[in-house]
Amino acid sequence: MTESAQFVLDFGHQPGFSAADFLVADNNADAHGWIMRWPDWPSFALGLFGPAGCGKSHLAHIFCERNGGIVVPATALNSEDVPRFASHPAVALEDADREVDEPALFHLFNLLREQRRFLLLTGRDAPARWPVRLPDLRSRLSSIPVAAIRSPGDDLLEALLVKLFADRQLRVGPDVLTFLLPRMERTFDAARALVAAIDDAALAHRRDITVSLVRGVLQAASDAPSSPESSRHDE
């Protein structure tokens, strides 16, 4: 086997979801403030929305870390499990703007409110704009306060790249970051995918992460055909 065709062994990496790991910046300060002000909310529920990978999942984990709640993917929500989920002090329901069991969400919403517990709903759009069919659920979602996370500026994007590399136990020089920033798609999801691709390339070719290696990764990405948007939830 030649050196240019090495198998890549993926040992995985663990993203940091603690409050200390969250990068507060202008684009997310309001949303972060809402989470840190809990339980001093005007409602038992909050809608948290923003683009893919912007940090909604991180804030959901911080929220539940503060109150002993549980993080639940919306795809796991069903009527049978609602009482069990609602037995926790709070529920953070992730990606609730996608396919969700509407009767189960309606039941969860009502049960948490009756029991004076808390609900955090995350999605890519504000809850009032979700394609909900049940009129009563749509009315409830439209009534809750919301917090938005916007796309990142240069400072946050650079800090995010550093964190993503650090989550994979990788260190990169400032020259690599300076090269990357003006050449990458300026979204959270793109940053995550790019760091993963750079890590894979470094492992496959047994090379340090340099500007030369990064240039090759960017070139390969630009030459590749576009693929459907990932369905993974946000970090």
Side-chain angles (χ1 to χ4, degrees), residues 43-46 77 82 86 102-115 117 119 121 136-137 139-144:
S43 170
F44 80 101
L46 175 70
L77 183 65
V82 164
E102 292 187 14
L105 177 53
F106 183 67
H107 184 28
L108 179 67
F109 193 100
N110 290 337
L111 195 55
L112 289 172
R113 183 174 61 180
E114 291 167 6
Q115 296 179 351
R117 302 188 180 193
L119 175 64
L121 298 168
D136 288 342
L137 177 58
S139 174
R140 281 162 172 73
L141 293 176
S142 298
S143 70
I144 65 174

Side-chain angles (χ1 to χ4, degrees), residues 94-227:
E94 294 198 279
D95 301 326
D97 58 333
R98 305 188 202 178
E99 291 187 16
V100 65
D101 184 330
E102 292 187 14
L105 177 53
F106 183 67
H107 184 28
L108 179 67
F109 193 100
N110 290 337
L111 195 55
L112 289 172
R113 183 174 61 180
E114 291 167 6
Q115 296 179 351
R116 298 186 178 182
R117 302 188 180 193
F118 293 86
L119 175 64
L120 178 68
L121 298 168
T122 77
R124 298 190 185 188
D125 211 343
R129 301 182 63 182
W130 293 353
V132 173
R133 294 180 296 275
L134 287 178
D136 288 342
L137 177 58
R138 185 165 58 247
S139 174
R140 281 162 172 73
L141 293 176
S142 298
S143 70
I144 65 174
V146 296
I149 302 179
R150 302 185 306 277
S151 296
D154 279 354
D155 290 346
L156 178 59
L157 197 58
E158 180 175 353
L160 177 63
L161 287 171
V162 171
K163 179 184 182 300
L164 290 170
F165 280 119
D167 285 342
R168 293 171 175 269
Q169 300 182 15
L170 300 171
R171 296 179 64 182
V172 298
D175 57 329
V176 171
L177 298 174
T178 299
F179 179 81
L180 269 176
L181 281 170
R183 294 172 173 84
M184 62 179 287
E185 182 184 338
R186 307 185 66 73
T187 66
F188 297 93
D189 256 8
R192 186 187 303 110
L194 181 56
V195 168
I198 292 170
D199 188 11
D200 288 346
L203 284 170
H205 299 289
R206 297 182 178 180
R207 292 177 55 188
D208 292 334
I209 297 175
T210 63
V211 169
S212 176
L213 182 138
V214 170
R215 182 184 289 111
V217 171
L218 291 173
Q219 183 61 51
S222 67
D223 292 342
S226 60
S227 59

Side-chain angles (χ1 to χ4, degrees), residues 27-44:
N27 74 309
N28 60 29
D30 180 61
H32 178 263
W34 273 95
I35 299 302
M36 302 310 290
R37 283 195 301 273
W38 176 91
D40 187 20
W41 288 359
S43 170
F44 80 101

Side-chain angles (χ1 to χ4, degrees), residues 4-69:
S4 61
Q6 298 292 325
F7 287 114
V8 176
L9 300 179
D10 184 3
F11 294 100
H13 67 283
Q14 182 61 48
F17 274 150
S18 72
D21 287 323
F22 190 79
L23 305 171
V24 182
D26 289 344
N27 74 309
N28 60 29
D30 180 61
H32 178 263
W34 273 95
I35 299 302
M36 302 310 290
R37 283 195 301 273
W38 176 91
D40 187 20
W41 288 359
S43 170
F44 80 101
L46 175 70
L48 176 64
F49 69 98
C54 69
K56 299 187 297 292
S57 187
H58 195 156
L59 285 177
H61 281 80
I62 294 173
F63 171 71
C64 291
E65 183 180 273
R66 287 172 60 81
N67 54 39

